[in-house]
Amino acid sequence: MTPLDYAGYTMSAGDLIPLLPLLAVTATSIWVMMAIGVKRNYPFVLGSTVAGLLLAALLAKRLLTGPAPEAAPLLTMDAYAQFFTVLICAAAVGVSLLSHNYWTEFDDQREEFFLLLSLATLGAVVLAGANHFASLLLGLETLSMSLYGMLAYPAHSKRKANSRALESAVKYLILSAVSTAMILFGAALIYAETGSLAFAGLGGLPAGPGVEYSVVALLLVSAGVAFKLSLFPFHIWTPDVYDGAPAPATAYLATIGKIAVFIVLLRVVVETRSLGIAPVVIVFSLLALLSIIAGNLLALLQDNIKRILAYSSIAHMGYLLIAIIAAFYAEGPISIEAVSFYLFAYVVMTLGAFGVVSLLSSDALERDCISDYQGLFWRRPWLAAAFTGMLLSLAGIPLTAGFIGKFYLVLAGVESGLWLLLAALVVGSGIGLYYYLRIVYRMLLPEPEGAPQLRQGTAGFSIVLVLFVLLVLFGVYPASLMSLIESIAL
Amino acid sequence: MGAIPVEHGLILAGILFSLGLIGVLTRRNIVFVLMSLEVMLNACGLAFIVAGSRWEQADGQIMFVLILTLAAAEVAVGLGLIIQMYRRFQTVDINVLSELKG
Amino acid sequence: MILTLLIALLFIGGLLAWFSERINPALPRWIALAVLAIELLLMLSLLSATPENGWLAAYNHAWLPRFGISLQFAADGFSLLLLLLTAFLGIVAVGSAWSEITERAGFFYFNLLWTLAGVVGIFTALDLFLFFFFWEVMLIPMYFIIAIWGHENKFYAAKKFFIFTQVSGLIMLVSIVVLAWFHYLQFGFFSFAYQDLLNVGMNRSMEMWVMLGFFIGFATKLPSVPFHNWLPDAHSQAPSAGSIILAGVLLKTGAYGLVRFAVPLFPNAAAEFAPFAMTLAAISILYCAKVAFAQSDIKRLIAYTSVSHMGFVTLGVYAWNELALQGAVMTMLAHGLSSAALFMLAGALQHRIHTRNMHEMGGFWGRVPRMSAVALFFSIAALGMPGLGNFIGEFLALLGAFQANQVLTIISAFGLIFASVYSLWVIQKIFHGKYSDSAFDGSRLLDLDNREMAFYAAMMAGLVWMGVYPQSFLDLSAPTLQALLESQAGAAAVGALQP
Amino acid sequence: MLDLIWLLPTFPLLGFLILALAEGKLAKGPAGWIGAGSIGLSFVVAALVAVSFLQSGLESHTVPIWMWMSVAGFDPGINLYLDGLSLVMILVITGVGFLIHVYSTGYMADDPDFSRFFCYMNLFVFAMLLLVLGDNLLLLYLGWEGVGLCSYLLIGFWYDDPYNGYAARKAFVVTRVGDTAMAIGLFLLFAQLGTLNIQDMLHAAEAEWAVGSALPAITALLLLGGAVGKSAQLPLQTWLPDAMAGPTPISALIHAATMVTAGVYLIARTHTLFELAPNVQLLVAWVGLITLLMAGFTAMTQNDIKRILAYSTVSQIGYMFLGLGVGAWSGAIFHLMTHAFFKALLFLGAGAVILSLHHEQDIFRMGAKRKQLPVGFLCFLIGGLALTAFPYTSGYFSKDEILIAALEVEGQGLWLWLGGVIGAFFTGIYTFRLFFVVFFGESRGHHDAKEVKGLNIALPLFILMALSLFGGWIPVPLDAVFSHGAEHEEHHISAFMHGVMIALPLFGIAISYLFYGSGILSAEKLMSLPGSRALHRFWNSGWGMDRLYDFLFVNPFLYLARVNAKDIIDAFYDMLAALSRAGHLLIVRTQTGYLRWYVLSMAAGLVALISVGVLL
Amino acid sequence: MMLLFYLAAFVAVIATVCVIVQTNIVHALIYLILSLLAVAVIFYTLGAPLAAMLEAIVYAGAIMVLFLFVIMMLNLGQNTREQERAWLAGRGWILPALLAAVLLAQLLYVLSGVEGMSAPEQVGVMAVGARLFGPYVLAVELASILLLAGLISAYHLARKPGAEDE
């Protein structure tokens, strides 16, 4: 085998078609950067970002139903990837519009936030199509690199909250780098064994008894991924980072930052289904179990909404992992559909929840204490209703997409007979109700005397309402989404 | 040229990785922490080179190049954050960043 | 079609009630009343319907074809009885809230109607997914009712209510999914339809586990010892309209589930489990009657008696013969009325004197004779006085249960004694003895007005009707129960043939 | 004419409904008229029915009113069944009931809750009539519980006093214990025989069950449980003396004449069952015997005029049970009837006395009242004689019949007879103790006592006096009912035995006279004998039964209720919540905020992961 | 070549140990550069000359200079030695070191089981370049984006507070 084997590799224009959404996001980034370079115009930058990302989403939507593209060396932009590209781009649009309100009073440059946001989105889209450790690395790090900037974005102004943003970014940077190193080391070990860096090459790992090497290699990668997904015991950064970061950045990290990794994970799992290295599956089950319990317990008596949501996201990642584990066992597509649907629902409800927080917050004043929401039901009924909807969806109550998602998870778990994990799901949901209801209850209380005026933001508010509508729509009539998801299953 | 057993290269990478981890774990000075991270990333690069050399492929080196890119970007952002932190707290003690907890 | 109309009307009516508050604060209650009256009329119109395949009305439309889930509604006589109870008690609840709920009335009636929509859905859904959907849907508005308009400890109560029912509901969801999954394995396609799932065969231990999942879901709602602890708190803290709906209607959904699903879907496991369920029933009856006696909070007391009475339902259901089932159904109906009335009375008392502590009451007979007489009536109804509905229910349940398990029936029958102990204790504590208003503002202790009396009179009439001519109710539920028994017998026979 | 039986319960029901719906707003005049009138009308109907029944040849007659329910072969109807037994009962109920109602219009005239009183009374008569007319055990049970309810309501009629409420609840709960046994009996009967229709059930039982087999014994025992509860027999007799807390007409109507004899009626009604279970039947006799003796002892030690009468009622019902137990079905029912006359008379007389003495009930605060209260004196004289079975008074005939029948029982007959005779001796003592203490000797208070005026009080008393004296001559048409039971030929007992039976009560009266009438013997001296005080206390407390029950049942229940008021199961869920909270507090400490700790946790996680992975 | 490998490996390990225990940050940086250069030598011995060069130029050169700039900028010179020493004095390092040792032991245990030899052949610049701009061409583009993201972040974060660039 000579090193020049692939020298004849060519890329035709046709090969670029599946990459169009990616290119659109890139173009958006470049366009925004240039726009900033020419003249700082906040509305224009915002508008450009939204328009560009929307375009990317529409392109991906268009490609979703098209013919399946051939697998490219680094990216597989199949229907699965396109579906999540739509989701990621749409969510990024949502975050952009939600953050509009947040930055209106910011006393420093606001435009770069959107540049970073579109770059991060680019990383996420790469992850959606990643089929290779190189693209995984690049996507992951593009996403993280932009997120560092977003998390620490308000670190400049002299306000108090900013040291928190800084702390959040530093913590995320260091820990994320450690986890990246773990992934890379594991990947290197896998490469040393199989000679391939593509996920498909994982099949070359020796399986069967006495496979410590494979197990360790895979577990190193898993640990890194578990960090990105904030699974127990790699969850510990989550609340601090969520808490300190500006709400829009948190929203971004909590939604796109999470699901992008999950998308890859699912792809890897599907590629390696036949691998069947039992210890890895067991470790995953353990991670899921502990995440569900720990996440819910940690959130139990929290008074900070961002932290509550952070902890609850730990638990939700545990729930999602159930479907991933189910995918290891089961032949059918249900577990993949379950993950897809739940990810969709997760984006909607998490974005909605953080959206409400962002909407009420600014860089000067983060409204993240539970007491800030007292009486919200009577002051801003629609916003409160939407927030309640999001929380109930997170709790998995019907009429919301979260319920259908949970139903899918249960179905996947039952299909594979994961009784213990299902029990954890039940117990975890029980504990979870407590803190979700606490927030809801606070909103129902009479409003406090002399409460400060709440901020208004039409764009963000409309996004929250759109999310609420989606939440209920796909909670009541999810058939269309279900069939779409069925068609994209790997 | 004598061939070197793969395990030796990997073991070296493992040792460097662990040393880097110890550095991240024990140092309070954030600059040291960042340096230790570089050690860890470098160890990963080494592992890729070792693996690439086993298969006589360029992919290992390509991964190394990518890691290099990553490390550079990481350091740039990390140092940027350190500068901000130093401005705000006048120290590089990582423990001052413990306002967020609970 | 009429069934979807019933549900849609409640949902839309709820929204209307909410929004109408801006026009006029008095409008929501009128809207709620009108909607419920229309509901009642629509349901009554079903009485004259001719059954097709045993269903008085049915509706089926695809919902989630991926999993064979459809919007399948159907009502037979058994459902209809409970639907009528729902609408009737809905009206009673509106009446109870009429002057009690003044703040945020629009949202209150919204929640009330949505809760009832969920209940109507439960009583008519024939697709298990749909059933579960409604099962959970009714929780949220009920949570709001308790959490917003409840009393001093409302958050605790609302939370407890929600968590208990939700967790047990999730367990049930798992069971439903397992059942559907087994259907998929055996027949190659997904279905959540009741008729399809009836044909699913499972091995013994799996059937038992899945059945237990259902049982826990229903036993929590029913509630049965040891899953009953949410009830006293929820009841004591809820506004009286909430308590009425809770005790009168929501508890019945658990019983309905037992009859419709928990036993027929798992004939063998249910038969095997019956002694345990009946033991739990007997414990519920006696234990909660005893705990009830020790309460000083009147609403807590009534709540515990509810658990005790619902024990007869469990007993009847698991005895699984026509007598016992009819007894269970009659108990559901009669208890629906009597407990609703008692909660309404307790609410009326609390509304007047702002206390639920019986130790602060006494000698009210002289002050409020009407209320006293009404309370006496419903207390003796609750203790199972022949001639009133509760007696028919409990007697039939025991009579039937006796044929299934004599020992447990005899033990349960002692509940009749305990019932008399606490019922008379309440009357004694509140209405007898010397009057003293040291603990409250005595001037507010007014007798029932004519509007209130109208509601009580209606409930009294209902109980007397059930007591002296229960046949009109029995006839309605008989075809359903007989069909269930027959299918059960058939399934058990098939099951017996399998190794 | 017979088809008009449905009118019998209808009138009281209408009366009840009118009075209830009027909510006490009716003036006393109309309320009294409605209350008493409805029973009067019922009595008229009953009389007409009786005439036509007797003319129609004593054939039993069923009047279906409507089907109650029909479930899986269980189809009790609201059907009224008339035969000799129920005829006697309805006559007693409406007749005595009417008299007592009339009396009550006078007795209760000053009560503010006059209308409520009649409301309950009418409901009671309605329920009692259903009890005796029901053709199936479920309808009987309906009446059974209904009368219990009314008893409860009327005992606690004066609700201001918590003691009354206590007594009422006690009465209800204790009888409910028996009722529950009876209900279980009904379950068993239905399960075994497939019907609760009394006649069908009895025929089926006769056909299917062998004499002396277990099933009839168990069912009979369970029914007996119901009967002893309602009829205040051992071991459930404790409620009746306390039941005297109610207004006196209630004591007369419910707790003497009608309701408490329902147990006797039940056993008589289902006598076939008892005949199938001879051991149980014998047990009935012994229960009656022991009860009558125990109550006799207690009655001798009571000072409250109504409590003496109450114990005497318990004792007399004991005779009826004895009669039932020895197969003297007609005798028992006959005694039931005569007892209704003279006991109602005694109670109403006592009521008149009490009313005259401003609600004084302690006999030792009366004395020498025969001049001031001549009517009361007459009442007690006649009633007392009938009660002690003075020859040719009503009580004489009925008690005679029972005792003679007892003597004929093989084996234990003599003992039963002897016990009954001794009981009669006690009856003489306590009845005339009351009589002498109240009406003779020195006046010990209430010197200004004045007879209560009013025809509505006096007339019922005189009628009852007549009935008490001559009631023994009334023929009861019971042969048809019990014809297939044990046939009783003409009784042949020795003159000596007969003499004893007549003499002992008289002897009792004489002793009573020696102690209380003449003062020749002194009760105080008797009390000074060693141990007699303790004995007195023991008897006075009704043989300590209340204490025993408190100790065995009531206190443990109260204790359990008190310690578990918070519901121990709740503690389990609280513990879960506390566990979650503790878990949170424990685990939240890991969120230290220190970055190095976070890295450490990651490293530890990695090590743990690899350890688990490698070890597995 | 083998000897060179083991020698370089030894140097790399020793130098790295020095990095993590140094109290003088500038010395530590020098040791780090030494370690990186040793690794570069190892790369060369493993037949990766391009990687070796990049390691020396970019890593040991450019990136470390960046560190140096920051150290100078923050004036973290000799005067922080005492502080560093104090920070290292506590027992805080025992547990982490133990943990890392366990991890190392695990890695050693697992890695020692690998069989195979690194190829003596060189994979030269040509081969790497061809591959990089062949199938990995997207990776190159993405790497540029990654650098852009790092650039923007760093640019935004490193500015003086409130500094206006216009």
Side-chain angles (χ1 to χ4, degrees), chain A residues 80-167:
Chain A
Y80 173 80
Q82 300 293 5
F83 172 77
F84 284 109
T85 304
V86 175
L87 185 57
I88 289 167
C89 293
V93 170
V95 175
S96 310
L97 288 173
L98 283 168
S99 53
H100 166 61
N101 192 45
Y102 188 87
W103 298 119
T104 44
E105 290 163 21
F106 188 51
D107 59 359
D108 196 43
Q109 299 162 355
R110 299 174 287 189
E111 292 79 7
E112 276 91 340
F113 187 80
F114 298 98
L115 175 54
L116 290 170
L117 191 145
S118 48
L119 284 171
T121 309
L122 180 56
V125 172
V126 169
L127 284 177
N131 63 6
H132 189 279
F133 277 111
S135 41
L136 168 69
L137 173 71
L138 288 165
L140 210 53
E141 287 309 310
T142 309
L143 177 60
S144 304
M145 211 57 72
S146 318
L147 271 171
Y148 302 150
M150 287 163 77
L151 294 176
Y153 201 78
H156 291 121
S157 63
K158 298 185 180 68
R159 293 171 178 142
K160 169 141 193 331
N162 308 325
S163 70
R164 295 161 68 88
L166 180 68
E167 181 179 340

Side-chain angles (χ1 to χ4, degrees), chain C residues 160 226 228 287 304 433 467 471, chain D residues 68 70 159 176 565 567 570 573:
Chain C
K160 203 167 174 180
H228 66 282
Y287 179 81
Y304 273 108
Q471 199 59 34
Chain D
W68 197 355
S70 168
Y159 52 82
R176 200 102 214 262
D567 192 353
D570 209 20
Y573 294 105

Side-chain angles (χ1 to χ4, degrees), chain A residues 474 476-484, chain C residues 63-66:
Chain A
F474 290 119
V476 174
Y477 191 69
S480 56
L481 186 61
M482 278 178 160
S483 58
L484 180 63
Chain C
W63 185 19
L64 307 179
R66 172 75 180 88

Side-chain angles (χ1 to χ4, degrees), chain A residues 203-217:
Chain A
L205 272 180
V211 287
E212 286 93 347
Y213 180 86
S214 307
V215 170
V216 169

Side-chain angles (χ1 to χ4, degrees), chain D residues 582-603:
Chain D
H584 166 80
L585 293 175
L586 197 71
I587 197 170
V588 85
R589 287 166 64 186
T590 59
Q591 299 284 347
T592 57
Y594 290 104
L595 186 50
R596 292 193 303 158
W597 164 255
Y598 289 7
V599 186
L600 187 68
S601 81
M602 275 181 74

Side-chain angles (χ1 to χ4, degrees), chain B residues 9 12-13 15-17 19 38-50 64 68, chain E residues 4-16 31-56 59-60:
Chain B
L12 175 63
I15 293 172
L16 291 181
F17 188 84
L19 285 173
E38 292 308 310
V39 173
M40 287 177 79
L41 288 175
N42 188 46
C44 297
L46 174 60
F48 270 111
I49 297 287
V50 172
F64 171 73
L68 204 60
Chain E
L4 194 57
F5 173 85
Y6 290 111
L7 199 66
F10 181 71
V11 173
V13 171
I14 297 299
T16 309
Y31 279 120
L32 183 52
I33 291 171
L34 182 60
S35 159
L36 294 174
L37 288 175
V39 172
V41 171
I42 292 169
F43 286 177
Y44 187 75
T45 63
L46 290 174
L50 179 67
M53 275 183 284
L54 287 176
E55 174 91 1
Y59 228 133

Side-chain angles (χ1 to χ4, degrees), chain D residues 203-217:
Chain D
H203 290 308
E206 255 184 330
E208 292 180 21
W209 288 343
V211 176
S213 60
L215 277 171

Side-chain angles (χ1 to χ4, degrees), chain E residues 16 21-22 24 37 43 80 92 103 109 119 128 136 142 153-154 156 161 163:
Chain E
T16 309
V21 298
Q22 260 301 328
N24 185 321
L37 288 175
F43 286 177
T80 57
L103 180 65
Y109 167 69
V128 175
Y136 280 99
L142 289 172
S153 292
H156 181 75

